[in-house]
Amino acid sequence: MAVFMDSLTPKFYIALTATSSFISALIMILEWIYFQKYGVSFIEQFSLNYISPWIGGGNDNNQQVPECKVWRNPLGLFRGAEYSRYFNCTKREPLTFYDMNLSAQDHQAFFICDADNGKPDYEIMQAAWRERVPAARVKAAHLALEKNSECVTALIMLAEEEAPTMLKVEKILRKALKLAEANYKKTQKSHHLDSKIEMQHRRDLNVLIYIKRRIAMCCRKLRKLKEAVKMFRDLSKEMPPIMNILNVHENLIEVLLETQSYADVQSVLAKYDDINLPKSAVICYTSALLKIRVIADKYNVGNTLKKGLSQAEEVALEAIHRAVEFNPHVPKYLLEMKSYIFPPEHILKRGDSEAVAYAFFHLAHWKRIKGALTVLNVTWEGAFNQIPYPLEKGYLFHPYPTCTELADRELLPTYHKVSVFPKKDLPFFIHFTAGLSSFSALLALLIYLHPQFTGNLVYIVGMWIIVPVNYCLDRLETMLPNNVMDILSNI
């Protein structure tokens, strides 16, 4: 071994350290790519999932990521008139397969019932809602209309996915509304007599409410604001289970903000901003906007520092902090520090998807109130000082969920950089491989330039490490009895 070590030349050590540097740099790059895509370390995940069970470690990975509930976006766009036009202009898919699959499940729950078995048009539509390809869905809807020219769900699909303009969408939905009202009245008279008719009646009610809501959204987009407000108010009075999914009150708030009816917005918030009801970015940030509106034109940071906060400013500041704690991603979109995209059809409350959807529709309302964005800009970051860290508990809400990033990555397209809160530190193995790569590359360079000096340096450093260890071992040997191994073996 001694002869072999003496025969090695500096070229061998250069090759060894250069190879080590290259491999560690490659591992660091792959770790970085994996971390950017999934937000976790690949080496840590691999160790926890596969290596730890072999050496007796517990595998709690199945309990680390809780399930996050996604909600249907109350302000969702129309695929044909809006999403398809966006794709034709940018060649970017605005919706993910996961998002569209959730919509397909919603449509099946809204528009399909067992009482439709044996009806050719509805059986075609049952398959159409599950179809992945948009052209195939539209083709199936036309086929269903050939079987039955009064197939309401086929008209809904054509309005959602084929109609190229909002005027065309409204025209198709108005036609579908007349047919849906007639179907609902038919089953309303006898729904209590038969279980199948009862199921059909519930389905007809879902269809009727869905169409009314989408027509109201058409009116909002076509600037028929009074009609939209009336329709959303009427829908808010409905009580069937589907209303818990649609969250029509958020549509009503947005339209009232567009009409600048701030007193009416406040009355709606008073009804839905209740401690026992689930919150949303629309409720929290609209509440903050109304309180900012009172102080926006007079707010001055310099005067505040000198004289302190007035009562109205304290109320506004508390509302901003409340909103930021609920969803910390929204301010960067409102302040245009980060660009947003077309909102998905489903959102995750308190997540980046909800922030994108909120800013997409509400940024104009913030800009309309002079000074509102300025107040938000100088106050929103202060909210993070009140949020406990690590996020084991909340200040005004439940602890911020840890599963939002994974769910948002499924809901939002890949070209959008998902906002993450709290900002994650780089994993240990990225730092470790970066240091190893840099050290080995530097060592290879020193060996190449100054082989004799580097060899002596390595020898000195090695001696610095070995001498204290040998000293400790010698002291330990003098303190322990000579037959310590025999004693331990007997024990």
Side-chain angles (χ1 to χ4, degrees):
M1 180 61 69
V3 173
F4 173 75
M5 295 298 294
D6 291 338
S7 64
L8 296 177
T9 64
K11 291 183 179 180
F12 169 79
Y13 294 105
I14 294 173
L16 179 64
T17 52
T19 304
S20 173
S21 176
F22 173 77
I23 293 174
S24 56
L26 184 63
I27 294 174
M28 180 190 68
I29 293 171
L30 295 176
E31 267 280 275
W32 172 260
I33 294 173
Y34 192 88
F35 174 74
Q36 288 294 103
K37 186 173 183 180
Y38 298 104
V40 293
S41 166
F42 171 77
I43 298 177
E44 290 178 4
Q45 290 292 103
F46 184 83
S47 301
L48 290 172
N49 294 337
Y50 300 103
I51 299 177
S52 181
W54 289 357
I55 60 178
N59 185 8
D60 299 329
N61 190 55
N62 294 332
Q63 300 176 356
Q64 289 180 355
V65 181
E67 182 181 359
C68 284
K69 180 180 179 181
V70 296
W71 298 75
R72 192 167 179 85
N73 185 2
L75 299 169
L77 305 178
F78 291 84
R79 289 189 185 178
E82 293 171 305
Y83 285 122
S84 294
R85 291 171 62 189
Y86 175 83
F87 174 76
N88 293 334
C89 293
T90 64
K91 303 305 178 185
R92 286 180 166 184
E93 288 288 354
L95 300 174
T96 64
F97 171 74
Y98 175 75
D99 191 19
M100 291 190 290
N101 186 51
L102 291 176
S103 297
Q105 295 175 18
D106 292 339
H107 294 149
Q108 292 173 57
F110 294 161
F111 306 140
I112 294 177
C113 69
D114 294 337
D116 295 331
N117 296 332
K119 299 178 181 179
D121 53 336
Y122 280 99
E123 288 183 346
I124 292 173
M125 290 307 301
Q126 286 179 7
W129 294 118
R130 302 187 186 98
E131 182 61 53
R132 292 187 181 183
V133 182
R137 290 197 295 269
V138 172
K139 183 178 179 181
H142 283 291
L143 182 60
L145 286 174
E146 291 178 5
K147 299 287 184 180
N148 179 11
S149 60
E150 297 183 351
C151 182
V152 180
T153 54
L155 291 173
I156 292 175
M157 179 169 284
L158 293 181
E160 292 281 350
E161 305 203 18
E162 187 187 42
T165 64
M166 297 310 304
L167 288 172
K168 184 66 174 177
V169 171
E170 185 186 24
K171 182 179 179 181
I172 296 175
L173 289 177
R174 295 282 185 186
K175 178 181 178 181
L177 178 61
K178 295 180 180 179
L179 298 174
E181 288 175 340
N183 292 338
Y184 176 72
K185 289 178 181 178
K186 288 179 184 178
T187 56
Q188 189 178 25
K189 297 178 181 178
S190 56
H191 69 90
H192 58 282
L193 301 177
D194 185 84
S195 59
K196 285 190 175 181
I197 299 178
E198 174 66 25
M199 287 189 294
Q200 189 175 346
H201 176 70
R202 288 199 298 267
R203 192 275 311 280
D204 291 341
L205 178 59
N206 289 342
V207 170
L208 182 61
I209 290 175
Y210 184 90
I211 293 174
K212 285 183 177 180
R213 178 171 176 269
R214 295 303 263 177
I215 290 176
M217 295 175 72
C218 287
C219 293
R220 162 66 182 93
K221 295 173 188 294
L222 296 173
R223 306 297 300 173
K224 302 176 185 178
L225 299 180
K226 289 184 178 181
E227 185 178 356
V229 169
K230 183 179 184 305
M231 295 187 72
F232 284 132
R233 285 193 185 279
D234 292 341
L235 285 170
S236 299
K237 300 174 184 177
E238 299 284 350
M239 297 302 294
I242 190 177
M243 298 304 296
N244 297 327
I245 301 173
L246 299 181
N247 289 324
V248 176
H249 62 276
E250 296 192 9
N251 297 91
L252 178 59
I253 289 172
E254 197 278 327
V255 177
L256 290 173
L257 287 172
E258 182 64 22
T259 61
Q260 302 183 46
S261 303
Y262 298 113
D264 292 335
V265 175
Q266 185 61 58
S267 65
V268 175
L269 286 177
K271 180 179 179 181
Y272 290 97
D273 194 5
D274 185 85
I275 192 172
N276 297 318
L277 296 177
K279 300 294 183 290
S280 67
V282 172
I283 290 176
C284 293
Y285 278 90
T286 302
S287 177
L289 178 62
L290 295 183
K291 292 177 174 62
I292 291 173
R293 177 174 169 266
V294 178
I295 66 167
D297 56 341
K298 301 177 183 178
Y299 186 80
N300 185 284
V301 179
N303 293 337
T304 301
L305 294 174
K306 293 179 181 179
K307 301 179 181 179
L309 294 172
S310 65
Q311 184 176 0
E313 290 172 341
E314 288 182 357
V315 171
L317 188 63
E318 183 180 350
I320 293 171
H321 288 185
R322 172 178 180 260
V324 172
E325 181 183 350
F326 180 83
N327 193 320
H329 310 287
V330 173
K332 285 191 176 181
Y333 291 106
L334 291 179
L335 298 171
E336 299 181 78
M337 300 166 64
K338 185 177 181 182
S339 59
Y340 54 83
I341 56 174
F342 266 38
E345 293 182 335
H346 289 80
I347 59 175
L348 178 68
K349 288 190 175 182
R350 307 187 74 178
D352 191 43
S353 52
E354 183 189 35
V356 169
Y358 175 81
F360 186 88
F361 294 101
H362 286 261
L363 178 58
H365 307 318
W366 281 79
K367 287 185 174 181
R368 188 175 292 117
I369 298 176
K370 186 178 180 181
L373 290 174
T374 302
V375 176
L376 179 67
N377 185 34
V378 298
T379 56
W380 72 278
E381 290 182 326
F384 295 111
N385 296 328
Q386 298 184 12
I387 302 175
Y389 186 84
L391 304 176
E392 298 174 353
K393 60 180 181 178
Y395 177 66
L396 296 172
F397 296 99
H398 292 293
Y400 188 83
T402 58
C403 60
T404 55
E405 180 184 356
L406 297 178
D408 280 331
R409 289 183 190 277
E410 296 288 339
L411 289 171
L412 297 169
T414 55
Y415 54 81
H416 175 74
K417 185 177 181 181
V418 175
S419 178
V420 180
F421 175 79
K423 190 65 177 178
K424 293 187 176 180
D425 297 328
L426 289 177
F428 164 76
F429 286 102
I430 291 182
H431 292 288
F432 176 77
T433 52
L436 181 62
S437 173
S438 302
F439 173 75
S440 54
L442 179 62
L443 190 61
L445 181 63
L446 288 174
I447 293 174
Y448 176 75
L449 296 176
H450 307 286
Q452 188 66 33
F453 170 76
T454 306
N456 294 334
L457 183 64
V458 171
Y459 176 79
I460 293 172
V461 172
M463 291 303 296
W464 284 352
I465 298 174
I466 292 172
V467 169
V469 173
N470 288 335
Y471 175 79
C472 293
L473 290 176
D474 292 340
R475 296 294 298 173
L476 187 63
E477 187 176 348
T478 58
M479 295 172 61
L480 294 175
N482 294 331
N483 59 342
V484 63
M485 296 304 299
D486 295 335
I487 296 174
L488 292 176
S489 62
N490 292 333
I491 292 175

